[in-house]
C-alpha cells in the first residue's frame, strides 16, 4: 500500500488510471473543466504546467470506489466491509523527528498563499479556493485533536477565509478558544494520502482522534511531525502544510462558493485564517477537489455507508451492500429478505443511523446498489407503490435547509414478494461475467 499521495499517484499511473496534462492550463475554470472530463472517464488527472506556478496540481485521485479500494489495498467488492473491519481497531499516530513535508520551510513574510496554485472552480465562486486542505486543531481544554476538510477562500497575502461552523468539531473547538479570548492554532494539510482524506471527511465522536482512524485504515501508525511555528502535529509525508491561526472575534464575508450540492452557498460572515508559515516537500504537488462531484461524494460516502451497514446488521437483517453514491442524501441497500415488511424496517434503521438521508431504496441481493439503472429496474419491476412507498414527515434531516426540503424521509421497498419469488426470479445468462468478447474477435 503506497504511504503517501505521490506513491498513490504512481500506482494510479501504473494501473492506467492517471492522465498527465503537459499543456499549459489556466487555474481559473479551465483546470476545473478538465477535472470534470477526467471524472467522466474515471481517471485521476495531474496538471504539470499550471498558469503562474511551478507547482503541479492533482485531482480526482479517489474519483471512484475502485480508486479508493486501490488506495486501501483492497478490492471494490470488499471496500465497505474492509472499512468497517479496519475502523473498529483505531491505531494511534506516532510522532517522528523529521518528515518530507518540512523539506522546505518558509516563515513570516516569505510565506504567502499566492505561492500555491490555488484553483478557481465554478463561475460565480468568490475567488480561488483551497478545497483539499485538512484542517488540524486541538481542543484548548482537553488537547483532543481534530482533522477535517474545510474550504478556504484566498483573500490575499497571509489571509484566507475558512468555513468552519459548529456542529462541525473545528467550529466547536474554535468557539472554545474564542470564549477564552484566544486565536486558535490551525494547520492545513494539502496533498494527502487517501487514508487521511477519508479520516478528514469522517464525522467521529468528539474526542476521537481522526489520525487514529487514518492509522486504522493504513493498518499502521500514521507518522506525524511537529509544526514549526504552532503547537500541532501534521502528517510527515504530506505535500504542503499551512501553519497559522483562526482569529478570535473576527468574521469576514466568504463566498459565494459552488458547494457539494452543486448550488452556490451565498456569501456569509465566516472565520478568518492568518498564515504564519508554509512547509512543503522540495517539489510539492498541490491537490484540489471539485466540490459536489464524484471525488467529494466518494470520500464522504464510505464512512456514512458504514454507519448504515452496521446499524442494519445489528438488527439481524442480512445486509449485502449499501450505497450512498451518487449523492449523500440517497441510499440504496441490498438485503437477503427474510420477512415481508422487513425492507421498511431496514429503511427506518438507515434513517436513524444517518440523519442526512432523505430517500432510501431497499432492493434484493441480486441488484447492484452501485448501478442506478439496476436500482431503477428493481423499482420499476418489483415495487408496489401503493404499499411499498412510505414517508416519514418532518424527521431530522440535513440542517442547512432554509426551505424545509430535507426533513421528510421517503422509503421504497423495491424487493420482490417472498411468496412469489420464482415469478420474480431474474433471468441469468451462464458465464456472462467471465466471458470475454476479445476472445471472439
Ligand atoms: C472536499 C471536502 C470539503 C469539505 N468542506 C467542508 C467545509 O468547508 N466546511 C465544513 O463544515 N465541512 C466540510 N466538509 C465536511 C467535513 O470535512 C466532514 O463533515 C467531517 O466529517 C467533519 O467532521 P468533524 O465534525 O468530526 O470534524 C468537507 C468535506 C470534503 C470531503
Amino acid at each position: 500500500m503506497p504511504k503517501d499521495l505521490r506513491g498513490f499517484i504512481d500506482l494510479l499511473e501504473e494501473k492506467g488510471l492517471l492522465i498527465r496534462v503537459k499543456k499549459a492550463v489556466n487555474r481559473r475554470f479551465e483546470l476545473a473543466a478538465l477535472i470534470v472530463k477526467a471524472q467522466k472517464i474515471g481517471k485521476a488527472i495531474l496538471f504539470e504546467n499550471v498558469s503562474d506556478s511551478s507547482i503541479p496540481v492533482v485531482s480526482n485521485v479517489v474519483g471512484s470506489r475502485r480508486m479508493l479500494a486501490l488506495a486501501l489495498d483492497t478490492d471494490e467488492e470488499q471496500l465497505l466491509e474492509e472499512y468497517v473491519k479496519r475502523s473498529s481497531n483505531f491505531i494511534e499516530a506516532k510522532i517522528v523527528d523529521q518528515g518530507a513535508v518540512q523539506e522546505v520551510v518558509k516563515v513570516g513574510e516569505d510565506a504567502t498563499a499566492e505561492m500555491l496554485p490555488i484553483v478557481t472552480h465554478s463561475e460565480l465562486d468568490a475567488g480561488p479556493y483551497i478545497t483539499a486542505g485538512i484542517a488540524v486543531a486541538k481542543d484548548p481544554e482537553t488537547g483532543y485533536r481534530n482533522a477535517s476538510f474545510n474550504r478556504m477562500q484566498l483573500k490575499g497575502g497571509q489571509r484566507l477565509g475558512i468555513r468552519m461552523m459548529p456542529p462541525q468539531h473545528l467550529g466547536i473547538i474554535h468557539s472554545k478558544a474564542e470564549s477564552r479570548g484566544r486565536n486558535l492554532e490551525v494547520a492545513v494539510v494539502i496533498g494527502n494520502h487517501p487514508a487521511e482524506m477519508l479520516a478528514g471527511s469522517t464525522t467521529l465522536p468528539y474526542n476521537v482522534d481522526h489520525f487514529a482512524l487514518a492509522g486504522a485504515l493504513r493498518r499502521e501508525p500514521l507518522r506525524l511531525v511537529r509544526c514549526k511555528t504552532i503547537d500541532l502535529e501534521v502528517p510527515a509525508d504530506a505535500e504542503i502544510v499551512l501553519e497559522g491561526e483562526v482569529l478570535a472575534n473576527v468574521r469576514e464575508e466568504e463566498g459565494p462558493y459552488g458547494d457539494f450540492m452543486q448550488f452556490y452557498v451565498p456569501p456569509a460572515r465566516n472565520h478568518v485564517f492568518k498564515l504564519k508559515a508554509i512547509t512543503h516537500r522540495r517539489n510539492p504537488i498541490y491537490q484540489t477537489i471539485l466540490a459536489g462531484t464524484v471525488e467529494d461524494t466518494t470520500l464522504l460516502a464510505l464512512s456514512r455507508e458504514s454507519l448504515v451497514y452496521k446499524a442494519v446488521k445489528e438488527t439481524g437483517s442480512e445486509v449485502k451492500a449499501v450505497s450512498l453514491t451518487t449523492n449523500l442524501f440517497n441510499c440504496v441497500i441490498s438485503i437477503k429478505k427474510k420477512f415481508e415488511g422487513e425492507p421498511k424496517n431496514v429503511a427506518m434503521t438507515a434513517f436513524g443511523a444517518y440523519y442526512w438521508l432523505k430517500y432510501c431504496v431497499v432492493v434484493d441481493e441480486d441488484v447492484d446498489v452501485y448501478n442506478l439503472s439496476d436500482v431503477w429496474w428493481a423499482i420499476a419491476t418489483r415495487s408496489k407503490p401503493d404499499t411499498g412507498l412510505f414517508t416519514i414527515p418532518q424527521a431530522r434531516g440535513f440542517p442547512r435547509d432554509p426551505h424545509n426540503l430535507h426533513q421528510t424521509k421517503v422509503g421504497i421497498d423495491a424487493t420482490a414478494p417472498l411468496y412469489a419469488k420464482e415469478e420474480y426470479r431474474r433471468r441469468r445468462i451462464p458465464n456472462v461475467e467471465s466471458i470475454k468478447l476479445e476472445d471472439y474477435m
Side-chain angles (χ1 to χ4, degrees):
M1 171 171 165
K3 302 276 182 263
D4 53 15
L5 176 64
R6 54 183 63 201
F8 182 52
I9 293 171
D10 290 345
L11 181 62
L12 288 171
E13 186 155 42
E14 198 186 301
K15 301 279 179 194
L17 291 170
L18 179 83
I19 300 166
R20 272 182 193 273
V21 178
K22 295 197 183 293
K23 214 169 152 179
V25 174
N26 196 314
R27 353 187 206 124
R28 194 171 141 81
F29 309 139
E30 189 183 11
L31 194 147
L34 290 165
I35 296 173
V36 172
K37 293 293 158 77
Q39 289 178 333
K40 286 221 156 73
I41 53 169
K43 295 201 176 181
I45 186 161
L46 180 67
F47 300 93
E48 294 184 353
N49 186 357
V50 178
S51 59
D52 314 320
S53 178
S54 58
I55 300 177
V57 177
V58 74
S59 191
N60 205 42
V61 295
V62 288
S64 68
R65 296 179 75 259
R66 180 180 170 206
M67 289 150 116
L68 199 51
L70 197 61
L72 297 185
D73 194 22
T74 181
D75 53 51
E76 224 174 307
E77 289 70 37
Q78 295 301 313
L79 182 61
L80 180 55
E81 277 199 47
E82 191 62 28
Y83 179 89
V84 170
K85 199 166 89 195
R86 290 192 204 174
S87 62
S88 66
N89 179 26
F90 275 40
I91 299 177
E92 287 303 316
K94 73 169 183 208
I95 298 181
V96 297
D97 291 337
Q98 285 183 335
V101 75
Q102 293 178 337
E103 281 169 352
V104 178
V105 177
K106 291 182 175 134
V107 181
E109 296 296 302
D110 289 344
T112 65
E114 275 93 351
M115 61 164 276
L116 302 174
I118 307 178
V119 179
T120 309
H121 296 105
S122 302
E123 190 180 14
L124 303 183
D125 283 359
Y129 267 86
I130 295 175
T131 58
I134 297 181
V136 182
K138 278 186 183 165
D139 183 304
E141 268 167 31
T142 63
Y144 149 66
R145 181 175 50 214
N146 193 68
S148 57
F149 279 100
N150 291 80
R151 69 170 186 258
M152 297 176 80
Q153 182 191 338
L154 179 65
K155 299 232 165 152
Q158 266 97 5
R159 226 171 163 81
L160 296 109
I162 179 166
R163 156 80 201 187
M164 40 175 281
M165 295 298 172
Q168 202 216 19
H169 291 166
L170 183 59
I172 295 174
I173 293 174
H174 182 266
S175 59
K176 284 191 178 188
E178 197 167 55
S179 67
R180 292 167 164 73
R182 296 215 316 251
N183 296 339
L184 179 72
E185 293 185 334
V186 173
V188 179
V189 190
I190 303 169
N192 291 287
H193 181 275
E196 286 77 84
M197 293 170 74
L198 274 174
S201 47
T202 300
T203 297
L204 292 172
Y206 200 79
N207 287 332
V208 177
D209 185 4
H210 291 248
F211 287 155
L213 171 59
L217 298 175
R218 287 171 169 267
R219 290 174 294 191
E220 65 181 17
L222 174 64
R223 288 158 23 92
L224 301 177
V225 279
R226 293 186 205 283
C227 288
K228 295 290 181 186
T229 60
I230 52 180
D231 181 22
L232 289 169
E233 305 84 35
V234 288
D237 300 309
E239 294 290 327
I240 300 163
V241 171
L242 312 188
E243 300 183 6
E245 290 179 336
V246 175
L247 304 178
N249 306 311
V250 178
R251 303 288 186 275
E252 284 177 4
E253 189 166 284
E254 182 265 320
Y257 171 72
D259 201 4
F260 86 96
M261 276 201 272
Q262 300 186 16
F263 303 133
Y264 289 99
V265 182
R269 297 195 69 75
N270 282 334
H271 296 76
V272 176
F273 174 89
K274 184 103 198 305
L275 186 62
K276 289 172 96 172
I278 296 184
T279 73
H280 60 81
R281 288 188 178 227
R282 225 162 268 126
N283 298 300
I285 303 172
Y286 180 82
Q287 185 178 19
T288 197
I289 296 175
L290 199 48
T293 64
V294 64
E295 181 168 34
D296 196 9
T297 50
T298 300
L299 262 178
L300 287 160
L302 189 60
S303 61
R304 286 144 182 100
E305 285 164 358
S306 87
L307 292 178
V308 172
Y309 180 86
K310 285 189 285 191
V312 173
K313 211 168 179 176
E314 286 255 301
T315 66
S317 281
E318 260 183 72
V319 52
K320 191 180 160 215
V322 176
S323 168
L324 278 171
T325 46
T326 59
N327 185 306
L328 300 165
F329 298 129
N330 301 359
C331 182
V332 186
I333 304 173
S334 59
I335 60 164
K336 188 168 185 307
K337 182 166 86 167
K338 292 186 288 236
F339 311 98
E340 289 308 344
E342 185 183 5
K344 286 185 179 157
N345 296 66
V346 167
M348 288 189 292
T349 304
F351 291 133
Y354 170 52
Y355 74 91
W356 280 25
L357 211 56
K358 189 171 170 186
Y359 292 96
C360 183
V361 183
V362 182
V363 296
D364 290 301
E365 59 182 333
D366 60 353
V367 176
D368 179 359
V369 298
Y370 304 108
N371 177 341
L372 287 189
S373 70
D374 222 31
V375 174
W376 272 109
W377 170 84
I379 295 172
T381 61
R382 288 177 174 168
S383 76
K384 191 168 183 296
D386 54 340
T387 55
L389 187 148
F390 69 98
T391 59
I392 304 172
Q394 297 305 309
R396 184 183 181 209
F398 177 65
R400 214 166 358 107
D401 184 21
H403 304 293
N404 195 18
L405 298 182
H406 293 280
Q407 313 307 312
T408 291
K409 317 286 184 192
V410 180
I412 301 175
D413 172 358
T415 60
L418 284 171
Y419 63 83
K421 241 186 148 178
E422 270 310 298
E423 284 171 62
Y424 289 92
R425 180 186 175 138
R426 205 168 183 179
R427 65 121 173 82
R428 184 179 168 269
I429 301 168
N431 296 329
V432 70
E433 296 87 5
S434 57
I435 204 163
K436 289 197 174 68
L437 191 55
E438 306 89 85
D439 296 344
Y440 294 78
M441 280 157 46

